[in-house]
Amino acid sequence: MKKDTFLIAITMVFFLGIINPIKAQVSEDSELFIALKTNDSLLFNIGFNKCVLNEFKNLTTDDLEFYHDKNGILKSKAEFINVMAYGICHKDNLYKARRELVKGSLKVYPLYENGKLYGAIQNGEHQFYETFQGNEKAGNVAKFSHLWILENNQWKIKRILSFDHQ
């Protein structure tokens, strides 16, 4: 009896795998990868590096959560933008930071519900550069994971994990 149950279970897994193939990382030339890489660039190259706070407003959900292994948790878009506006992006701040995506590190994994794309997980590594009184030097290298959600046909970042800062 146990042998028959096991064979039925293995057969079902096999057929379900054929009918609904397991989704893995998307290729770098896919529409999804390109869209999220573009958003990553807007978020960091424009929002973070140039302190254009509207990019953060446009690309994040209201219930954004940001988990950082060194600086703790930010629990909303408003809190995140406030920290940026009065921290790194404040006009009187002598310390500035710049972020570069580590080439070749970006990976995107689609998320589906009932066969419909609703989100994606974006993983990668980034290198930070620190400028103090005009002198730039290499700073931390860290890993990140972003949860992107489709909201009204727009990709919005809902969760940010920034970790393994070295």
Side-chain angles (χ1 to χ4, degrees):
M1 188 70 162
K2 286 184 181 180
K3 185 177 179 182
D4 290 337
T5 304
F6 177 75
L7 288 174
I8 290 169
I10 291 296
T11 303
M12 288 180 66
V13 168
F14 175 76
F15 283 114
L16 287 174
I18 290 173
I19 294 168
N20 189 16
I22 296 172
K23 304 292 185 209
Q25 172 192 332
V26 297
S27 69
E28 292 183 8
D29 60 353
S30 72
E31 186 178 320
L32 176 60
F33 187 93
I34 292 167
L36 293 187
K37 185 174 184 185
T38 298
N39 282 359
D40 178 86
S41 180
L42 291 171
L43 190 70
F44 285 99
N45 293 344
I46 306 298
F48 185 83
N49 293 349
K50 294 181 180 175
C51 288
V52 179
L53 299 180
N54 275 339
E55 291 302 332
F56 298 129
K57 292 175 186 174
N58 296 335
L59 291 168
T60 57
T61 62
D62 290 338
D63 64 343
L64 172 76
E65 290 180 359
F66 183 141
Y67 298 87
H68 193 282
D69 65 344
K70 304 290 184 190
N71 297 323
I73 304 168
L74 300 175
K75 295 182 180 178
S76 70
K77 175 195 281 193
E79 188 177 0
F80 174 71
I81 291 171
N82 190 52
V83 165
M84 294 302 294
Y86 294 100
I88 287 174
C89 293
H90 193 273
K91 66 179 175 65
D92 294 332
N93 188 358
L94 298 177
Y95 170 85
K96 300 294 179 191
R98 181 174 64 83
R99 180 261 199 181
E100 286 185 12
L101 180 64
V102 173
K103 188 175 174 105
S105 71
L106 197 64
K107 307 285 187 241
V108 174
Y109 303 88
L111 300 172
Y112 295 91
E113 183 173 16
N114 299 321
K116 183 178 179 188
L117 181 67
Y118 73 90
I121 296 172
Q122 181 185 52
N123 293 328
E125 292 184 26
H126 40 210
Q127 168 76 56
F128 291 93
Y129 295 87
E130 301 169 345
T131 301
F132 185 72
Q133 296 182 334
N135 297 316
E136 184 180 73
K137 66 176 186 164
N140 288 320
V141 174
K143 294 179 176 70
F144 66 90
S145 292
H146 296 159
L147 171 62
W148 291 90
I149 300 295
L150 267 174
E151 269 189 6
N152 301 318
N153 290 326
Q154 297 287 321
W155 286 104
K156 302 274 186 162
I157 195 165
K158 187 173 184 76
R159 301 291 181 264
I160 299 171
L161 304 173
S162 187
F163 58 97
D164 196 27
H165 286 79
Q166 303 292 320

